[in-house]
Amino acid sequence: MEETKRSSMEETKISKSWADVADEADASEMSTLDMKSNDEPAIESLVIDESKDIKSTLSDPSDASIQVVPSGDTLYKSAKTFEDLSLSEELLKGLYSEMKFERPSKVQEVTLPMILTPPHLNLIAQAHNGSGKTTCFVLGMLSRVDPRLGAPQALCICPTRELAIQNMEVLLKMGKFTGITSELAIPPSKENYVPINKRPPVTAQVIIGTPGTINRWITAKKLGASCMKILVFDEADHMLEDAGFKDDSIRIMKAIVKGKADCQVLLFSATFNDSVKGFVKKIVEDLFVKGYNQIFVKKEELSLESVKQFKVHCPDELSKVMVVKDKILDLGAKVGQTIIFVRTREGARMLYKALVEFGYEVTVIQGALTHEDRDKIIKEFKDGLTQVLISTDLLARGFDQSQVNLVVNYDLPVQYERPSEPNCEVYLHRIGRAGRFGRKGAVFNLLCNDRDTMLMSKIENHFNSPVAEVPSWESDEDFKVALKTAGLI
């Protein structure tokens, strides 16, 4: 009992993160589902076949932009079709009939053989938003599980409950026709709360959850690692950076190594800055027996070509509100859903209040809300019941909603410790919420002062990509031209 209390106290020391939320209080189980696995394939050599022009519904990088750094003597062959991976019939049925996939994306062509081929080396994988990373690690988990063994065999750690729930939804769809059990490890609603000492040990074969909850389950001996085959970190750069969940993540890794030293580790993210990339490599080398492969997409390829970016100079704070109200929401009302990103919880409340007073139906999500309210807001937005969502960076990473065509950076993202410097990784994640899976999208960056202008300039220089300017914040015609340029009207 004292050990559990001590763990909880340690977790509260985590520094504030860009996502406006650290992992919350205790969690209990959500629902489980039955699914089934397959035999592992043996694949020989890795080559990207440039003679085949395979079109994908995902936002694919070019072949030349994918940098592969293999480790060891294992040879891999790229998977042009899902059949090339020797997947079970149940998984193929889930991919085709439930996920509606036709063939692997280019990132999946390279990544999936590395995940599924013995000796199942560790993998550090970075590729841009919308390239199919989630499918890679979910399919990897489902493929490695033995459905005859009623014990945890695959674990996926996510920075937020929203991303954990979303990844579980993908797992349930993809594995619908198998017999694998799964469980969410996230902070519970008040109605579902069960003291950790009263819950049974975890027997689900795949667990997806947030780091604080996972750590509590492990500390309380409710989640064992003796049968663990695969450990996934989604948004791995944030999970292993100082401003994120570094301490929790390392504790989980050490517990897994202690219980199962040869567990395969997959680290996925759209971004890895140099310092985090170096730390990730070191921690994998220090803790895990197996070597690791690496896949990276060149930085200049990371910005999404299907998303058009614009900057708008506004004379003051009120004019920013008026731009959102009169230009983006009114003119963009027919083009799809909109996410407006703000820097702080108070900023989210302020903008929400202002737009509601003007008569607009908008919703707002930020880390201070209850779990029940957050889940309800996300469900309504995903169901299309609401069209405009104001958010802190809680939803900047990994949030999939195909109908989002507009993103507004009401505040530009900055580094928490150095607010005079932009957070280019978070900027990239934010704009990746628009134009998912190759669809058209537009991003409007609202600049209010010299500091905003400086931040925007640094973002443009970082990606070596100038952002077009909307000439006048007051002109309907200028905004119509921008939306036409983005292919939205």
Side-chain angles (χ1 to χ4, degrees):
M1 185 64 119
E2 286 299 316
E3 186 180 5
T4 304
K5 289 180 180 177
R6 192 160 55 248
S7 173
S8 298
M9 290 175 64
E10 289 171 356
E11 287 161 8
T12 62
K13 297 177 183 177
I14 298 173
S15 58
K16 181 179 177 181
S17 71
W18 59 264
D20 178 42
V21 61
D23 196 25
E24 304 91 338
D26 202 354
S28 65
E29 66 274 5
M30 301 278 289
S31 60
T32 63
L33 176 72
D34 291 342
M35 299 188 266
K36 191 175 183 177
S37 90
N38 66 294
D39 296 327
E40 294 163 0
I43 302 176
E44 298 168 355
S45 64
L46 172 68
V47 179
I48 293 285
D49 186 353
E50 299 185 1
S51 67
K52 297 181 181 179
D53 181 20
I54 296 181
K55 295 182 179 179
S56 170
T57 57
L58 299 176
S59 181
D60 272 355
S62 66
D63 292 341
S65 71
I66 301 177
Q67 301 174 321
V68 180
V69 185
S71 173
D73 300 324
T74 306
L75 297 177
Y76 305 92
K77 182 179 180 181
S78 63
K80 291 298 182 181
T81 69
F82 287 113
E83 282 78 7
D84 292 340
L85 297 167
S86 301
L87 299 171
S88 68
E89 292 183 8
E90 292 86 356
L91 275 175
L92 288 174
K93 186 176 180 182
L95 288 168
Y96 293 134
S97 68
E98 294 298 310
M99 302 299 294
K100 309 299 182 186
F101 290 160
E102 296 180 1
R103 53 185 63 84
S105 69
K106 288 177 181 176
V107 167
Q108 292 165 359
E109 288 179 19
V110 178
T111 304
L112 285 169
M114 288 185 166
I115 295 172
L116 300 178
T117 304
H120 304 117
L121 296 182
N122 303 317
L123 176 66
I124 301 171
Q126 172 264 322
H128 64 241
N129 297 298
S131 60
K133 297 186 299 298
T134 303
T135 294
C136 289
F137 64 74
V138 170
L139 189 57
M141 290 192 295
L142 290 170
S143 300
R144 298 292 310 284
V145 166
D146 179 357
R148 298 165 297 180
L149 177 60
Q153 300 169 57
L155 177 62
C156 175
I157 318 294
C158 311
T160 64
R161 64 185 285 111
E162 286 77 15
L163 189 53
I165 291 170
Q166 181 174 278
N167 286 342
M168 180 61 79
E169 290 170 349
V170 174
L171 183 101
L172 297 182
K173 285 183 69 176
M174 194 180 298
K176 180 178 178 180
F177 304 103
T178 68
I180 298 168
T181 57
S182 60
E183 187 168 342
L184 266 175
I186 61 174
S189 62
K190 293 178 181 177
E191 301 82 50
N192 294 330
Y193 175 75
V194 176
I196 194 166
N197 62 331
K198 292 185 179 180
R199 67 149 292 149
V202 178
T203 58
Q205 292 150 339
V206 180
I207 297 92
I208 300 177
T210 48
T213 297
I214 294 295
N215 261 314
R216 280 185 285 277
W217 287 13
I218 291 173
T219 300
K221 307 298 183 183
K222 298 295 183 178
L223 175 58
S226 59
C227 299
M228 201 69 68
K229 296 179 181 179
I230 184 168
L231 171 64
V232 177
F233 284 90
D234 193 8
E235 306 299 346
D237 62 330
H238 180 56
M239 300 300 292
L240 288 166
E241 68 180 350
D242 290 330
F245 299 97
K246 180 178 176 180
D247 293 341
D248 269 341
S249 298
I250 292 174
R251 280 199 292 269
I252 292 170
M253 285 185 174
K254 288 181 176 179
I256 297 298
V257 169
K258 185 177 179 181
K260 187 74 170 179
D262 62 346
C263 178
Q264 181 184 30
V265 182
L266 311 179
L267 300 116
F268 278 84
S269 183
T271 52
F272 277 107
N273 64 42
D274 289 340
S275 61
V276 174
K277 189 187 298 183
F279 177 76
V280 167
K281 292 178 182 177
K282 184 177 186 304
I283 198 71
V284 172
E285 289 172 353
D286 289 350
L287 290 181
F288 295 95
V289 176
K290 297 177 180 178
Y292 60 92
N293 296 315
Q294 300 176 71
I295 295 173
F296 295 104
V297 173
K298 295 177 183 177
K299 185 174 72 174
E300 57 269 25
E301 297 286 340
L302 288 175
S303 58
L304 304 179
E305 293 185 1
S306 60
V307 176
K308 301 299 181 183
Q309 303 169 60
F310 304 95
K311 55 189 176 185
V312 184
H313 288 277
C314 304
D316 51 43
E317 192 76 19
L318 179 59
S319 63
K320 288 172 68 175
V321 177
M322 302 308 286
V323 165
V324 171
K325 178 178 80 74
D326 296 333
K327 305 301 187 291
I328 294 168
L329 298 190
D330 281 355
L331 295 177
K334 297 181 180 179
V335 305
Q337 292 176 299
T338 300
I339 297 180
I340 305 173
F341 284 109
V342 294
R343 190 176 300 149
T344 65
R345 296 174 181 181
E346 186 54 42
R349 285 189 285 263
M350 180 279 297
L351 182 58
Y352 172 77
K353 184 174 182 290
L355 293 176
V356 168
E357 287 179 351
F358 280 121
Y360 288 84
E361 292 186 9
V362 300
T363 53
V364 60
I365 187 168
Q366 39 91 356
L369 297 176
T370 65
H371 308 324
E372 296 89 341
D373 285 342
R374 283 164 60 173
D375 293 347
K376 179 174 181 289
I377 288 164
I378 292 297
K379 186 177 189 307
E380 289 177 347
F381 192 66
K382 285 201 166 189
D383 290 345
L385 300 178
T386 55
Q387 294 299 304
V388 180
L389 180 59
I390 301 167
S391 177
T392 59
D393 282 319
L394 188 69
L395 297 185
R397 289 176 177 255
F399 180 68
D400 276 339
Q401 173 66 353
S402 61
Q403 300 309 311
V404 173
N405 289 330
L406 289 179
V407 163
V408 179
N409 283 320
Y410 189 87
D411 301 313
L412 291 173
V414 298
Q415 297 181 26
Y416 180 64
E417 302 295 340
R418 294 190 298 163
S420 63
E421 294 296 321
N423 193 322
C424 295
E425 287 78 22
V426 173
Y427 179 83
L428 184 64
H429 283 283
R430 283 185 182 186
I431 70 173
R433 299 315 102 209
R436 299 293 289 171
F437 309 118
R439 294 178 174 86
K440 301 295 183 182
V443 177
F444 290 94
N445 299 286
L446 307 188
L447 315 180
C448 189
N449 49 41
D450 291 342
R451 178 171 171 271
D452 289 343
T453 300
M454 175 196 68
L455 291 170
M456 191 73 247
S457 177
K458 288 182 176 181
I459 290 171
E460 292 174 283
N461 291 336
H462 178 83
F463 292 109
N464 193 27
S465 177
V467 173
E469 182 174 347
V470 176
S472 171
W473 69 274
E474 297 177 291
S475 170
D476 285 2
E477 190 57 38
D478 287 347
F479 279 88
K480 287 179 182 178
V481 169
L483 291 172
K484 286 179 182 176
T485 303
L488 294 177
I489 62 173

